[in-house]
Amino acid sequence: MDAVRCLHEVDMQLDQARNYVFGPNGAGKTSLLEGAFLLGRGRSFRTRQTARLVQKGRAGLSAYAIMTGGERLGVSFLDGVLQCKINGETTRSLAELSQLLRVHVIDPSSHELIEGGPSVRRRYLDASVFHVEHHYLAEWRTYRRVLGQRNALLKRGMGGAGLDVWTRQLVATGEKIDQRRSAQVAALGQAFSGFGERLLSQPIVLEYRCGWRRGATLGEALDSSRQRDREAGFTQVGPHRADLVVQMAGQRVRDVASRGQQKLIAAALVLAQVQTLAKLLGHGGLLLIDDPAAELDSGALRRLLSQVEALRAQVMITAIAEADLPAAGAAAVFHVEQGKVKAMV
């Protein structure tokens, strides 16, 4: 990894299970995690503008990894162009990267899963589905294309047979999206409730709201909303309006949970994603946790790290001080300072 923010020619031999990284603020710890995320998603978890990751004075950046199965992943960004390679062959599909390196992150922005709008939670849910249903991305793109065509007609105030054609297609594609999401929420919900109980010592519940009224099919909901859609100029019901609602003590957590509780609940969502994947595929992928000691009190931090330790996943955790990390044991430990990474013996 080179020229990712402040990093200089980083070469790390990661442990297949646990990796701990410590160093002062501004040393490059988060940049390491960004580089790892870049290899799995083709972007950073902090910004969608990859140009912002390039070290000042450098023309571009690069990241490279050899997977346990021998696959070689490479991502470079040079002169404004992102290039991704798998086993030396260029690929234009970021989905191919994600299929090989399933990467998740818990960082200070994770609380947006609770405090943010429905679109944030839909992205979380769709990523969860994609990790286990690779054709889901194509289905979602088809749905978005059909939705765009229907909205274009509505914006022009058109109805009749033309609108009927796109409405039928929207129902067909939308029902597939909803079915896959519903199945994934059922799996996530069980894992999430367990993590919530262990992290917060009280039950929390994950509820899926599909984007239209309960008890109706998508076709019926679109029929009922047809006139309102024409007046508004866009489709007001469907999977694009879905949401995940987290409840604690019968109320939405965003209304009753403290900031610390919200952070733990957001972490529980990510942990549920990893555990569900591990249960299905045998391994939960790569989990990146950025400086949890700065976000949680000592008791909450211990509970979180205890749950992470039990995961069947490769983990990278950062902290300012080595004392804030779990006991190393068989883990790989690295020290970062001024963009340089040193393995601790």
Side-chain angles (χ1 to χ4, degrees), residues 121-138:
R121 291 178 289 279
R122 283 196 298 271
R123 284 196 295 272
Y124 160 84
L125 177 55
D126 288 336
S128 298
V129 178
F130 169 73
H131 282 318
V132 297
E133 300 272 4
H134 296 322
H135 50 273
Y136 177 76
L137 181 60

Side-chain angles (χ1 to χ4, degrees), residues 59-114:
L61 58 78
S62 61
Y64 178 81
I66 300 177
M67 306 289 287
T68 357
E71 301 92 346
R72 293 171 288 120
L73 305 185
V75 175
S76 63
F77 184 80
L78 183 65
D79 297 328
V81 177
L82 180 72
Q83 185 177 70
C84 305
K85 290 188 176 183
I86 299 174
N87 296 325
E89 298 292 329
T90 300
T91 176
R92 294 184 178 180
S93 171
L94 296 182
E96 290 186 37
L97 289 179
S98 295
Q99 289 171 20
L100 287 172
L101 180 58
R102 298 173 175 88
V103 61
H104 322 265
V105 63
I106 297 173
D107 77 315
S109 69
S110 295
H111 74 276
E112 285 296 312
L113 283 170
I114 307 302

Side-chain angles (χ1 to χ4, degrees), residues 192-193 195-197 200 202-206 246-248 253 265 268:
F192 174 68
S193 295
F195 282 119
E197 184 75 41
L200 290 100
Q202 57 182 302
I204 51 176
V205 178
L206 188 64
V246 182
Q247 294 186 330
M248 182 170 67
V253 295
I265 292 167

Side-chain angles (χ1 to χ4, degrees), residues 35 139 143 192:
E139 293 173 349
Y143 176 82
F192 174 68

